[in-house]
């Protein structure tokens, strides 16, 4: 009958009751649950013959009203089948009950199948979620709960439902294969973690003596006995006061870190006022605006403050108003152009800002190529500034994206140029304010000292550090080079980016053009 089968299907779905066959230990197949619809009522019978061992007829009747069924314990170990709105109750006396998941069907095999019946209890909201315990056993967590109410007559060990758990039981009790007593069964109905804990406890109980053996032995306290006559014992030296010489040595050894040394530098008042007057160092735009500079312009500090014009004011130094023109590049000294004009060369490490400075001085950005990648300028580039001055952009030394031998060739070329060029009137030695002087800078300085080439230190990228650090760096370099003869004081400080100090540099360099004779 289709109506019957539909109802049965619906009910079994709601109850999540397995009415399939399962094997008992006696080897026989046993129909666990039968149901049928009779006059609009659903009858559920448990067991093969609807009779238990005592010959009582076990029938569960439910009205098929809305299909909702509740199966619960009456608290006396009996299981009650109660249909909604039904007044019929069927008792299964002193059986163990199992509460199955709504997803997983678990089978329980009784040691002696005749004595132990079964009732499935449907728990609303059961999940049947599986987790894998650390030891690799599959444990049904919380959701499939098997609480056994033990039948008094049957206190025998029972086979466990779950393969994983059976394995666990086997582990702890190797003799009773697939059998466990009721208390153990209850344990296995617990959550995975508590189960693990219990098993662990059992393990620890079993192997108590072994565990005690395994426990790390308490470390014996090491007793250090100091021989009062043994002067070789270093511990005895700890309390001794070092003599004067040793004290001096210690003081020498305790050197301040480079950073601490730098922070300890006290800049001279003239340097400090120069830094403040030219707004050198890292400044906030609001500060520049308050000082009267138009921050919408590139290199805004290279202008006259409080200028009413939205355009940049004219460069004060006439020589720098001339057009900047590239006219020669040299890879070797033989390619140098004729020394007809006084030359100002810009030397320094790669990426220090040499090419940028040429652009900033002349405000002709783009004439000299610049790059954030060290090693762009690879030849000595000669630029005419009008008819009276030549600006020379030198390749950098130190780190650059070029082969070692190529870099060596550049360095040699630069050295040759600064030491032999007759028309060279000044070398601007550019030093990154942040990093200060490096060994290669000192190398070039000593070469220029030997060749008596006039040079002036120019700190670049001052906008990258605090104003006080600009002043400290200038002071540091002035102090370290004050004994040098070819050095032209003062140390200049500029930023091609903000334009700070550029006007001062122009003033200094324009004097060379004015007075130099080739
Ligand atoms: N923040 C800041 N960056 C600058 C300044 N001057 C130059 N730069 C940047 O520094 C990088 C290198 O500038 P260049 O002028 O190409 O340096 P260079 O010394 O000619 O480098 P090489 O030709 O490789 O030797 C570029 O990205 C510039 O934009 C400055 O005053 N401040
Ligand atoms: Mg360059």
């Amino acid at each position: 009958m289709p109506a019957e089968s539909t109802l049965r299907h619906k009910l079994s779905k709601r109850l999540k009751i397995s009415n399939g066959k399962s094997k008992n230990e006696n080897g026989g197949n046993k129909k666990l649950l039968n149901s049928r619809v009779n006059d609009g009522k659903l009858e559920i019978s448990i067991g093969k013959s609807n009779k238990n061992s005592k010959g009582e007829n076990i029938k569960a009747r439910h009205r098929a009203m809305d299909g909702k069924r509740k199966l619960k314990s009456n608290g006396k170990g009996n299981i009650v089948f109660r249909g909604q709105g039904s007044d019929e109750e069927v008792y299964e006396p002193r059986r163990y009950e199992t509460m199955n998941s709504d997803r997983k069907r678990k089978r329980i095999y009784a040691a002696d199948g005749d004595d132990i019946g079964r009732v499935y209890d449907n728990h609303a909201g059961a999940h049947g979620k599986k987790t894998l315990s650390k030891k690799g056993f599959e444990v049904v967590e919380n959701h499939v709960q098997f609480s056994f109410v033990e039948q008094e007559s049957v206190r025998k060990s029972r086979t466990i439902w779950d393969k994983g758990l059976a394995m666990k039981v086997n582990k702890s009790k190797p003799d009773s294969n697939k059998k466990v007593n009721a208390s153990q069964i209850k344990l296995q109905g617990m959550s995975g973690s508590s189960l693990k804990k219990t098993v662990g406890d059992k393990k620890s109980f079993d192997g108590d003596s072994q565990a005690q053996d395994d426990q790390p032995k308490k470390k014996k306290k090491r007793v250090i006995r100091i021989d009062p006559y043994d002067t070789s014992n270093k511990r005895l030296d700890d309390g001794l006061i070092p003599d004067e010489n040793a004290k001096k040595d210690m003081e020498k050894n305790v050197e301040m870190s480079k950073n601490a040394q730098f922070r300890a530098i006290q800049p001279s008042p003239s340097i400090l006022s120069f830094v403040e007057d030219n707004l050198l160092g890292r400044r906030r735009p609001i500060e520049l605006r308050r000082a009267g500079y138009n921050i919408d312009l590139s290199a805004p500090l290279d202008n006259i403050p409080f200028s009413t014009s939205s355009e940049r004011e004219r460069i004060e130094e006439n020589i720098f108003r001339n057009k900047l023109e590239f006219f020669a590049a040299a890879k070797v000294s033989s390619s140098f152009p004729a020394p007809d004009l006084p030359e100002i060369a810009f030397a320094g490490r790669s990426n220090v800002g040499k090419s940028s400075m040429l652009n900033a001085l002349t405000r002709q950005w783009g004439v000299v190529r610049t790059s954030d990648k060290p090693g762009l300028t690879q030849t000595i580039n000669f630029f005419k500034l009008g008819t009276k001055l030549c600006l020379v952009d030198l390749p950098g030394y130190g780190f650059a994206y070029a082969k070692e031998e190529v870099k060596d060739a550049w360095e040699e070329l630069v050295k040759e140029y600064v030491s032999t060029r007759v028309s060279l009137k000044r070398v601007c030695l550019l030093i990154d304010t942040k990093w200060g002087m490096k060994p290669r800078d000192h190398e070039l300085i000593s070469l220029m000292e030997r060749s008596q080439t006039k040079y002036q230190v120019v700190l670049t990228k001052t906008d990258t550090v605090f104003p006080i650090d600009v002043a400290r760096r200038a002071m540091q370099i002035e102090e370290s080079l004050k004994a040098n003869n070819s050095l032209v004081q003062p140390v200049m400080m500029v930023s091609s980016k903000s334009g700070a100090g550029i006007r001062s540099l122009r003033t200094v360099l324009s004097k060379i053009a004015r007075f130099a004779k080739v």
Side-chain angles (χ1 to χ4, degrees):
M1 281 167 72
E4 183 189 341
S5 66
T6 317
L7 256 171
R8 185 189 300 196
H9 176 70
K10 268 187 183 177
L11 182 64
S12 64
K13 234 186 161 184
R14 288 302 273 245
L15 295 174
K16 305 291 184 278
I17 292 172
S18 159
N19 61 354
K21 287 179 178 179
S22 74
K23 279 186 178 180
N24 62 17
E25 275 211 349
N26 297 332
N29 282 338
K30 183 180 172 186
K31 188 117 181 177
L32 299 176
L33 187 117
N34 298 313
S35 61
R36 68 192 175 93
V37 176
N38 192 12
D39 292 338
K41 289 179 182 178
L42 180 77
E43 288 181 9
I44 297 174
S45 59
I46 298 168
K48 203 173 181 180
S49 61
N50 294 342
K51 283 187 178 182
N52 65 11
S53 57
K54 291 173 186 175
E56 295 162 345
N57 210 354
I58 307 162
K59 272 191 179 177
R61 287 186 186 170
H62 297 267
R63 279 204 185 117
M65 290 173 73
D66 58 355
K68 285 188 178 177
R69 295 286 181 265
K70 283 179 184 175
L71 302 172
K72 61 177 185 177
S73 167
N74 64 359
K76 296 169 192 169
N78 298 325
I79 306 306
V80 181
F81 283 66
R82 192 192 289 277
Q84 201 176 61
S86 166
D87 51 3
E88 289 172 281
E89 285 186 357
V90 179
Y91 291 94
E92 179 75 331
R94 303 302 294 168
R95 297 286 177 185
Y96 67 81
E97 63 178 286
T98 62
M99 291 164 278
N100 202 358
S101 140
D102 57 350
R103 289 191 198 153
K104 290 284 162 188
R105 189 176 67 196
K106 296 288 169 191
R107 293 173 179 179
I108 298 185
Y109 302 104
D112 63 40
D114 284 333
D115 286 338
I116 300 171
R118 68 189 57 221
V119 181
Y120 293 93
D121 193 352
N122 179 30
H123 273 259
H127 304 297
K129 185 177 152 193
K130 281 184 181 180
T131 57
L132 207 61
S133 79
K134 267 183 189 171
K135 288 175 184 175
F137 294 117
E138 198 178 43
V139 178
V140 180
E141 211 181 46
N142 271 336
H143 314 297
V144 179
Q145 293 182 357
F146 285 75
S147 62
F148 288 77
V149 182
E150 203 181 354
Q151 194 177 16
E152 270 171 1
S153 60
V154 186
R155 281 190 182 271
K156 292 176 186 176
S157 59
R158 292 162 191 153
T159 311
I160 298 298
W161 35 276
D162 191 288
K163 197 184 168 192
L165 289 177
M167 280 168 69
K168 268 191 180 297
V169 172
N170 285 344
K171 270 200 151 191
S172 58
K173 273 196 161 189
D175 293 339
S176 59
N177 190 24
K178 289 191 174 183
K179 287 181 181 179
V180 67
N181 62 32
S183 60
Q184 275 175 303
I185 292 168
K186 275 196 175 180
L187 290 176
Q188 284 152 18
M190 293 176 185
S191 68
S193 57
S194 59
L195 174 73
K196 269 185 272 169
K197 202 178 170 194
T198 322
V199 171
D201 287 346
K202 176 130 186 71
K203 259 191 179 177
S204 69
F205 177 76
D206 286 345
D208 205 17
S209 57
Q210 196 198 338
Q212 275 179 358
D213 290 346
D214 290 349
Q215 265 182 7
K217 284 173 188 171
K218 266 192 179 177
K219 274 185 184 174
K220 276 188 181 176
K221 244 191 177 179
R222 231 180 111 209
V223 183
I224 302 164
R225 290 197 187 86
I226 300 169
D227 180 2
Y229 303 104
D230 179 14
T231 50
S232 68
N233 194 328
K234 277 184 183 173
R235 281 164 180 270
L236 289 176
D237 298 339
D238 290 349
L240 294 178
I241 301 157
D243 63 349
E244 281 304 303
N245 287 341
K247 249 187 185 177
K248 277 180 189 170
D249 284 349
M250 273 167 66
E251 275 168 19
K252 272 183 194 172
N253 289 339
V254 181
E255 268 189 15
M256 284 164 84
S257 74
K258 277 192 175 178
N259 264 348
Q261 279 178 24
F262 183 70
R263 282 196 298 273
I265 293 171
Q266 288 283 324
S268 66
S270 62
I271 289 177
L272 281 172
S273 62
F274 184 83
V275 168
E276 267 320 296
D277 294 347
N278 290 278
L279 285 173
L280 287 153
R282 193 188 301 164
R283 307 275 174 168
R284 285 179 298 164
I286 185 75
E287 201 178 341
L288 305 184
R289 196 177 279 149
R290 278 188 196 140
Y293 293 98
N294 180 5
I295 57 165
D296 296 331
L297 298 173
S298 59
L301 293 172
D302 180 21
N303 204 7
I304 294 155
F306 299 107
S307 164
T308 46
S309 164
S310 59
E311 293 292 306
R312 200 186 291 273
E313 292 293 316
R314 285 177 63 183
I315 296 173
E316 301 96 326
E317 308 299 336
N318 287 336
I319 186 92
F320 285 99
R321 285 190 209 138
N322 290 306
K323 198 176 174 208
L324 186 69
E325 274 179 316
F326 167 80
F327 74 96
K331 265 192 175 173
V332 286
S333 56
S334 56
S335 316
F336 291 161
D340 298 334
L341 291 172
E343 288 171 3
I344 298 173
F346 296 83
R349 291 169 60 79
S350 294
N351 210 43
V352 77
K354 301 178 291 292
S355 306
S356 303
M357 190 167 288
L358 262 74
N359 290 331
L361 282 170
T362 56
R363 288 187 187 161
Q364 293 171 42
W365 291 281
V367 174
V368 189
R369 282 177 60 221
T370 65
S371 163
D372 55 355
K373 198 174 149 193
L376 180 76
T377 311
Q378 303 191 354
T379 53
I380 295 183
N381 296 331
F382 295 83
F383 295 87
K384 264 184 195 166
L385 192 61
T387 52
K388 286 193 176 161
L389 192 65
C390 178
L391 301 181
V392 183
D393 187 15
L394 299 176
Y397 48 81
F399 175 78
Y401 290 99
K403 285 180 183 167
E404 282 303 315
E405 53 268 27
V406 175
K407 284 193 286 182
D408 289 347
W410 298 347
E411 210 171 317
E412 287 307 309
L413 186 68
V414 169
K415 281 179 179 173
E416 196 177 346
Y417 172 79
V418 298
S419 55
T420 60
R421 186 75 174 170
V422 288
S423 54
L424 181 61
K425 298 299 165 194
R426 180 85 42 101
V427 173
C428 288
L429 177 60
L430 273 58
I431 306 287
D432 193 322
T433 312
K434 200 173 192 175
W435 306 116
M437 297 221 328
K438 300 283 174 186
R440 300 251 174 153
D441 297 316
H442 286 290
E443 248 180 65
L444 190 67
I445 285 171
S446 44
L447 177 71
M448 290 188 289
E449 283 289 324
R450 272 184 268 133
S451 59
Q452 297 185 339
T453 309
K454 293 280 175 199
Y455 63 94
Q456 190 161 12
V457 173
V458 181
L459 293 180
T460 62
K461 303 190 185 184
T462 55
D463 59 293
T464 59
V465 298
F466 292 116
I468 184 65
D469 290 337
V470 178
R472 281 175 180 149
R473 189 66 75 196
M475 190 70 205
Q476 184 192 42
I477 292 172
E478 265 191 22
E479 283 294 306
S480 67
L481 300 178
K482 65 182 174 195
N484 292 11
N485 296 322
S486 298
L487 175 78
V488 177
Q489 296 276 22
V491 169
M492 301 303 295
M493 298 161 248
V494 298
S495 165
S496 303
K497 194 176 177 185
S498 71
I502 293 287
R503 285 195 294 150
S504 304
L505 185 61
R506 269 196 213 112
T507 309
V508 168
L509 298 181
S510 62
K511 281 180 191 161
I512 301 168
R514 219 174 292 152
F515 303 110
K517 283 177 190 150
V518 179

